[in-house]
Amino acid sequence: MIQLNGLSIFNAADGRRLVDGLSFTLNRGDRTVLIGEEGNGKSTLLKYIYDPRLVEGRVYATGSVTRGGHRMGYLAQEASAEENALSVREFLGLEEHELWRAEALCAELDADPALVRETRPLGTLSGGERVKTRLVKVLLGEPDMLLLDEPTNDIDIETLEWLEGMINSFDGGVLFVSHDETLIENTAKAVIHLEHIHHKKVARSTYAALPYRRYVEERERAFAHTAQVAAFEHAEQKKKEERWQKIYEKVDAAQRGLTRQDPSTGRLLKKKMHSVLSQGRRLERERENLTEAPMAEFQILLALPEVSLPPKKELLRLRGERLLLPDGRAIGGEFDLDVNAAEHIVITGRNGSGKSTLLKMLYAQLCARRDVNVFYMPQDYFEVLDENDTPISFLAPTGEKDAVTRARTYLGSVRFTKDEAQSPVSKLSGGQKAKLFFVKMALDGPDVLLLDEPTRNFSPLSAPVIRELISSFGGCVIAVSHDRRFISEVGRRIVRMEDLTGANVHRP
């Protein structure tokens, strides 16, 4: 059992509260998901539960964590640069006579046992290979509690489905962060929700022993009910205050119209005004106790411009193309692909099948045209971003006053603070960088969207807004995605790489 009692975590730099008085228990067999917008402290909370030394100097905390002598296994959101430079065998740190344990775990995880002897650096493996290799290392410690930080990033649908099975079949307790709604709905039995409201100045931490979908539905019902009660109470209060104001104005006017020749009436009016003022103070106290309208942490308030391309306009007509890696090796065989202006195409397939390579090829071809405005969002944001850029300089590179003002307004619509808008993008979270791309998309007014894993860094509460934004876009969308909800809601045409190029890609 891992137990948190009134745990609050604060940013050491500015004292800002990240987690507020969180209490919950993780028992064997529990499957609890940790959700919240980027920058709300999810990774910090996981690290603190596992080992406070991982965040030492960056945060301080009150309350307590009882770990109960458990063997905890922790999977960080990403491997470090040092870890990525190691071969798989070096990363696992096993002697020859111990490799059988890792090979057995690979078999359990539906991975090729030969992976443990791989001499390639960890960082060169596919997303699925990296996740499984890192999980093997965690499971070698025989944990009875698993803490997983974004294990779904960069893995294909087959690996996602495998991960669901692994989480559900693990004998111990699992606390995990994920942006994948389908995986959350298929695994989580309880929810921890970290929010920052009132312009990120107030932290709110909620634990609910409910499956994710029920939590969202009950939260929405509770918000709607509270909003209705608050609206009724405030309307009734307004009526009372309006009646009081009329009485006050009447008594005040009578007092001002008195003459010194009528002292008895003056005494009566003075007594009446005293009573009216007392009633006014009571109304003020009543207002303080009214039900407040519920406040949720809003995620995205953006709209994309209208697009005027003719729907039948031919954007691409590719014949006999080949996908080539940077080293010149081909992925699969020749392929044909036609794309019209109003199509919404989602490209899917296994890790390593060439999805991102295809998207870059399409971007190069479309950029050469002058009759369309193309927007490209890569999987690696720094293909486009400079780490020394600020959000403002990225969105308004000329520095013109009107452009800067517009950029600030749009950044506010996705919850960027003034400080975040002026900080180097290298300091932003993955979710904030993703939001920055969507702000630029809204400002640029493109006709064609080329998006590589656009929802991978959005919270499960923001992702539906992103899906709706892209789904309702009137121009052409070509997106790479492993997000099963995104594929079903946005993809009007699904292109599977193995079918397109005939690539026979095997990834453990």
Side-chain angles (χ1 to χ4, degrees), residues 73-267:
Y74 168 65
L75 184 75
Q77 189 171 128
E78 295 177 348
S80 67
E82 293 78 10
E83 290 171 328
N84 277 328
L86 298 173
S87 71
V88 172
R89 183 166 174 177
E90 289 171 332
F91 173 74
L92 294 175
L94 297 176
E95 299 294 336
E96 181 70 30
H97 68 278
E98 297 176 303
L99 287 178
W100 67 270
R101 295 176 57 211
E103 290 171 340
L105 282 171
C106 279
E108 289 180 24
L109 301 181
D110 192 29
D112 185 352
L115 181 63
V116 304
R117 300 177 185 272
E118 180 63 67
T119 58
R120 285 182 295 158
L122 178 69
T124 65
L125 304 183
S126 73
E129 287 175 317
R130 285 198 305 274
V131 168
K132 291 184 179 182
T133 301
R134 293 170 63 219
L135 268 174
V136 165
K137 183 166 184 175
V138 170
L139 295 174
L140 282 169
E142 299 181 348
D144 52 14
M145 293 286 170
L146 278 180
L147 309 181
L148 309 176
D149 194 353
E150 287 293 353
T152 55
N153 275 357
D154 302 326
I155 59 177
D156 55 34
I157 293 174
E158 290 80 2
T159 309
L160 278 169
E161 292 171 345
W162 160 83
L163 184 62
E164 286 179 4
M166 191 281 292
I167 290 174
N168 284 325
S169 63
F170 183 68
D171 288 337
V174 184
L175 174 62
F176 67 99
V177 176
S178 178
H179 292 154
D180 190 286
E181 288 172 82
T182 305
L183 180 133
I184 292 172
E185 291 178 1
N186 290 346
T187 58
K189 306 303 180 188
V191 176
I192 296 170
H193 188 182
L194 304 184
E195 296 178 272
H196 290 170
I197 58 177
H198 294 294
H199 305 288
K200 295 190 177 181
K201 294 178 181 177
V202 177
R204 181 166 65 197
S205 306
T206 304
Y207 171 77
L210 297 170
Y212 174 72
R213 187 52 51 193
R214 272 190 58 198
Y215 167 71
V216 171
E217 291 170 353
E218 293 199 7
R219 169 185 162 89
E220 289 175 350
R221 280 197 294 269
F223 268 47
H225 174 72
T226 303
Q228 189 176 30
V229 170
F232 176 79
E233 289 183 2
H234 280 78
E236 291 299 304
Q237 182 72 10
K238 184 179 179 182
K239 291 177 184 177
K240 291 181 184 179
E241 291 173 356
E242 287 173 348
R243 288 196 294 268
W244 175 87
Q245 186 66 31
K246 289 178 181 178
I247 294 171
Y248 171 82
E249 291 173 355
K250 184 176 180 181
V251 174
D252 181 59
Q255 280 187 321
R256 284 187 282 106
L258 274 178
T259 65
R260 294 183 179 180
Q261 285 72 33
D262 193 1
S264 59
T265 301
R267 287 193 295 272

Side-chain angles (χ1 to χ4, degrees), residues 18 33-43 45 77 149-150 176-180 184 191-196 204-206 212 215 219 297-299 415 429 431-432 435 456-463:
L18 301 175
V33 66
L34 177 56
I35 65 170
E37 292 300 294
E38 289 301 317
N40 280 9
K42 301 184 299 298
S43 295
L45 176 59
Q77 189 171 128
D149 194 353
E150 287 293 353
F176 67 99
V177 176
S178 178
H179 292 154
D180 190 286
I184 292 172
V191 176
I192 296 170
H193 188 182
L194 304 184
E195 296 178 272
H196 290 170
R204 181 166 65 197
S205 306
T206 304
Y212 174 72
Y215 167 71
R219 169 185 162 89
E297 180 181 43
F298 78 83
Q299 290 83 36
R415 302 188 68 250
S429 68
Q432 288 171 313
K435 288 177 180 178
R456 66 193 288 265
N457 280 312
F458 284 104
S459 79
L461 296 173
S462 286

Side-chain angles (χ1 to χ4, degrees), residues 305-309 315 340-344 446-449 470 472-477 492:
E306 295 290 330
V307 175
S308 58
L309 285 180
L315 291 184
N340 291 332
E343 291 200 89
H344 285 195
D447 308 309
V448 181
L449 306 180
I470 299 173
S472 61
F473 179 64
C476 180
V477 176
R492 299 171 194 166

